[in-house]
């Protein structure tokens, strides 16, 4: 089965998610700086989520690039990932409107954690299909970076109830270490 | 006529539908668990509809895969299917916000039933175009699974007025039997 | 210049327009038939506009199929068409919510008229680029059907202020004569 | 790495942005000309932004056309451009609803300025990847038009606080000089 439609569908969903978030920035009444101020935390959480979804799109792009074909299992693993990503606009708005209050900040981390797990499941499904000479398996290796990120997200979920800004700091930190796209895959593909 | 644009357009519409539903999850006032509670039934109906639309996308993907070309009749049969799918976000929100009340639950089943019929019409249009050696006809056979699902949906429509939770149970059950993508088509294509 | 991105972009915009309209069907308070009744005219105008946008997508599909390449003029003629189509959700909601009142019904016709003109301009731009042996020119001929439709829309605009239901009748009638995709193009292409 | 998904994803985001704006045109209560009047400035700012996003899509189309492959840096430079474009619907609505008041008009220019800079960064990333025989570098030359536009936007930002209509005039003027797609690239490609 060809991967073209899987990529097109994922691109569509991710494109919608990344743009739908900005709808949370409701046009305010009035034309002064004061009316913009309450939008600032929402705008900042929008930037963070824009980068996070951008990272998923980039890595998804790299990962699918190594796949030649897809099967039913991969289709569903991909939909599962898209499901968790689809909750990001909601949690972004909730966290932004409540100025990083404990519960919304924790739920934001929970959704990122589930998305990370879903990404790993999708990766495994592709590797399983590619078999022993999997290009993707060679590229990601032990996938320390992904495990490290998921651990940090898992830590941020309870931490949010004590110091919510530390959790925010973790989300920003994980985003920064991923901003560089997965050069391991790029490298392996070039070497191959 | 090439099927590329039909697939691209369908992917676009389905991608929008599957993500638009999450907009029904309005960001609540306040940052406590209490404000999340009223969202729970909406969130659960969102999950059910996400899976249902995902199933349609998967099966659509498999079905179109067997088609080499499309004609005007297929274009319209496809738009007809997309029309019924486009009503799912509305009925999902209505059913979720009314905690599975009789009428919304019944209407939810009605839309799913119409979508199932529209899917069958599209399938017939493709088989007719492919002629006597239709790959798709060989793959679906008597299509007992689709007939069974449509019958269950038809039953759920009146049942909702007596025991709405039985209808919900039927929707979940039908979703589960379809979660496995149409392996018959995959098999036939591999054998061919 | 390849036409692939023009098609992809148009598919994206049209897919969004055809699904965005359904957002006008706001989930009502309450779970009774009474709360659905005020939605009925909006739902009916949604069906009409769904068919109209579907017709544009189908004909756009057929028309672009005859084009091998595109130029800057075609890109802008296409954006011009998409602009008028993008106003359809607004006029659909306005007409539906006001039960076919004079002004909204007239404006609905005005937007359809402008879209029809924009479609003709795009068609001319493609024919001009294809030159004297234009497949598209051969297929559409004198394009009586398009001229007939535009004339009917032009008539419906003032008529709406006297008998708005006659204008609605005209919109439905024009939709019906186009529901059959442009077989002339299909035929010419098959003959060629 | 292939550029197909980059184009598809950008097309998706830009298609959503260009259609999401029209959602700011809320269906008014009542069916008279009076209820349309307050929508007029919003509609006009919608037209301006539709043209601006259309220009970006057209130039993006031309620019990517010269690229054969993309790398991680280009992916992120592209996402950076899409980020600034994603703020256009918000600033469009804000400027339109406040009848070109000073601050919203200035912010509108700021977002356009940032988008212009982001476009230049993306262009540089592509030229760097193409190396010394870059088709794109040959096509854009010293890129006087882009520099001129960015300078005008930069001027419009402070001017808006004194004469906001002059800034609007600048936005319209810059849109007009770009309405003609980048024929330099078309020419160079044809000559090549």
């Amino acid at each position: 089965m060809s991967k073209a439609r899987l990529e097109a569908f994922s691109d569509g969903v991710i494109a919608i998610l990344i743009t739908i978030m900005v709808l949370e920035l409701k046009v305010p009444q009035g034309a002064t700086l004061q009316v913009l101020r309450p939008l600032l935390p929402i705008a900042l959480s929008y930037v963070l989520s824009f980068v996070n979804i951008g990272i998923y799109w980039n890595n998804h792009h790299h990962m699918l690039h190594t796949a030649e074909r897809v099967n039913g299992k991969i289709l569903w693993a991909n939909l599962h990932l898209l499901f968790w990503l689809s909750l990001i606009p909601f949690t972004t708005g909730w966290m932004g409107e409540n100025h990083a209050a404990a519960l919304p900040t924790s739920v934001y981390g929970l959704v990122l954690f589930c998305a990370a797990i879903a990404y790993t499941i999708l990766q495994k499904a592709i590797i399983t299909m590619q078999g022993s000479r999997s290009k993707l398996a060679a590229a990601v290796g032990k996938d320390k970076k992904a495990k490290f990120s998921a651990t940090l997200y898992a830590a941020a979920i309870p931490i949010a109830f004590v110091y919510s800004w530390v959790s925010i700091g973790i989300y920003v930190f994980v985003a920064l270490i991923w901003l560089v796209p997965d050069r391991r895959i790029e490298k392996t593909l070039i070497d191959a």
Side-chain angles (χ1 to χ4, degrees), chain A residues 18-154:
Chain A
I18 217 167
T19 37
I20 254 178
M21 281 189 301
V22 86
L23 290 176
E24 284 303 317
L25 287 172
K26 303 262 161 56
V27 173
Q29 298 279 331
T32 58
L33 265 182
Q34 280 92 316
V35 303
L36 279 192
R37 203 162 304 159
L39 289 179
L40 193 68
I42 308 178
L44 288 178
S45 54
Y46 170 56
V47 174
L48 176 60
S49 294
F50 189 99
V51 171
N52 270 321
I53 296 184
I55 288 166
Y56 271 103
W57 180 73
N58 261 346
N59 288 337
H60 191 270
H61 182 128
H62 282 80
M63 181 165 64
L64 262 296
H65 195 68
T66 68
E68 271 122 52
R69 289 171 310 115
V70 296
N71 57 18
K73 210 171 159 187
I74 292 173
L75 292 188
W76 278 106
N78 190 58
L79 273 169
H80 178 236
L81 170 62
L82 294 178
F83 175 78
W84 290 109
L85 295 181
S86 81
L87 294 179
I88 289 182
F90 172 81
T91 52
T92 301
W94 200 33
M95 185 173 73
E97 287 192 4
N98 290 289
H99 301 198
L103 186 63
T105 305
S106 179
V107 169
Y108 188 82
L110 179 66
V111 168
L112 285 182
F113 175 75
C114 292
I117 298 300
Y119 187 86
T120 307
I121 293 172
L122 173 57
Q123 192 172 272
K124 286 214 170 119
I126 295 174
I127 289 175
T128 303
M129 201 204 181
Q130 292 182 335
S132 57
R133 292 183 309 169
S134 165
K135 274 185 202 170
L136 183 57
V140 297
K142 291 188 183 167
D143 212 7
K144 281 183 197 162
K145 198 168 160 189
K147 279 172 194 157
F148 182 55
S149 307
T151 310
L152 282 177
Y153 285 145

